[in-house]
Amino acid sequence: MSNIVLFEDIFVVDKLNPDGKKFDKVSRIEAHSQNCDMFMHLDVNTEIYPMDVGDKFTMALAHTLNLDGTPDTGYYIQGARRTLADKYEYIMHGKLYKISEEGSGKKIKGEIYVSYGGLLMMLKGDPSHVSHFELDQRLFLLIRKL
């Protein structure tokens, strides 16, 4: 399964709506990861998946939900087939639209930006954790609270 999941870590919500609440059903969380020292802004539909400051969750990014690693067709086929989604509670599908780096020397940070149908994610940290992502790549975001 390691070739399916491109990134995975445990995050803790530090702030909720750091720039103020803009939408009724969506909150922007600010979170830091525990293992890879990554920083994330993420828009979450909190009407269906409430999140609060202090919540701890696993977040993974994958290119497919198929356990055999085959590309996702874009169609949901109902059935008894197991997928990566079975291990998570909240899932979004989107497109990576920007990759950048900031800083220099040892303080350089890599950033990726993904849009999940208008809900945005920014993930920033050590460039080695984001270097294998590609522009216009389709990604699944998977979350499970701990």
Side-chain angles (χ1 to χ4, degrees):
M1 187 175 350
S2 62
N3 61 342
I4 298 170
V5 176
L6 303 170
F7 177 83
E8 185 172 26
D9 204 347
I10 296 169
F11 283 81
V12 176
V13 177
D14 296 325
K15 294 181 184 174
L16 212 53
N17 300 306
D19 299 324
K21 186 123 171 98
K22 308 233 190 291
F23 302 101
D24 291 338
K25 300 176 183 181
V26 175
S27 289
R28 176 161 289 173
I29 65 167
E30 197 172 276
H32 280 88
S33 72
Q34 293 188 326
N35 302 318
C36 299
D37 193 30
M38 300 294 281
F39 173 78
M40 178 173 61
H41 274 157
L42 178 65
D43 294 340
V44 177
N45 182 335
T46 48
E47 181 180 52
I48 61 172
Y49 198 73
M51 296 196 87
D52 292 307
V53 173
D55 282 355
K56 187 185 276 192
F57 61 94
T58 298
M59 188 277 288
L61 296 172
H63 64 88
T64 183
L65 295 177
N66 298 325
L67 295 175
D68 62 2
T70 56
D72 187 76
T73 63
Y75 296 99
Y76 176 70
I77 301 170
Q78 193 171 6
R81 190 181 75 176
R82 307 278 302 158
T83 69
L84 189 58
D86 296 330
K87 298 178 181 183
Y88 294 89
E89 302 165 336
Y90 182 77
I91 301 160
M92 295 192 292
H93 183 247
K95 185 175 184 180
L96 194 152
Y97 67 91
K98 182 179 176 184
I99 301 172
S100 66
E101 287 185 351
E102 69 174 31
S104 61
K106 292 182 179 182
K107 294 187 178 193
I108 196 162
K109 299 284 185 186
E111 298 178 338
I112 62 169
Y113 296 82
V114 183
S115 176
Y116 299 98
L119 299 180
L120 304 177
M121 178 192 76
M122 183 273 297
L123 184 65
K124 175 170 56 173
D126 186 329
S128 67
H129 297 301
V130 297
S131 63
H132 52 279
F133 291 99
E134 299 173 10
L135 197 60
D136 295 331
Q137 183 176 21
R138 300 280 179 187
L139 292 172
F140 287 94
L141 176 131
L142 306 107
I143 291 178
R144 176 183 67 251
K145 286 185 187 175
L146 300 175

